[in-house]
Amino acid sequence: MDKKIYSIPNLLSLLRLALVPELAISAFLNEANIFLLFLAICLLSDLLDGFFARKLHQVTEFGARLDSWADMATYAMMILGLYLIWP
């Protein structure tokens, strides 16, 4: 595998993807504080992955797709969580 796959921006996007199930679980269990903590981590990692990709010259097509997948999953779970916790 290409070493560019294991870059800081991609790892941040993978972190965001890994937290999506935790967002879902905390939303279904109505754990608002845990949900908001995981959501804040996801949103912060979304800001940082783009910053580091540009700053470290690690912009790749794979990284852009991974970021988009993580964004879609995060925002979908955010909407579901907001609906379940604060209907």
Side-chain angles (χ1 to χ4, degrees):
M1 271 194 170
D2 188 6
K3 289 186 179 187
K4 290 182 181 181
I5 290 176
Y6 300 106
S7 65
I8 291 172
N10 289 353
L11 292 175
L12 287 169
S13 293
L14 286 171
L15 168 68
R16 202 157 67 251
L17 276 174
L19 287 177
V20 167
E22 300 301 325
L23 282 170
I25 291 168
S26 61
F28 282 113
L29 295 177
N30 205 23
E31 295 286 344
N33 291 334
I34 295 171
F35 177 82
L36 290 174
L37 174 66
F38 287 141
L39 182 60
I41 293 168
C42 287
L43 296 176
L44 180 62
S45 74
D46 188 23
L47 290 173
L48 292 176
D49 70 352
F51 171 77
F52 283 123
R54 289 183 296 278
K55 188 78 168 169
L56 300 173
H57 306 289
Q58 296 177 337
V59 176
T60 63
E61 184 177 330
F62 174 77
R65 286 185 184 172
L66 183 62
D67 180 55
S68 293
W69 295 332
D71 286 346
M72 285 188 291
T74 300
Y75 294 130
M77 200 49 57
M78 177 177 67
I79 292 167
L80 177 65
L82 292 174
Y83 174 76
L84 290 174
I85 297 172
W86 298 282

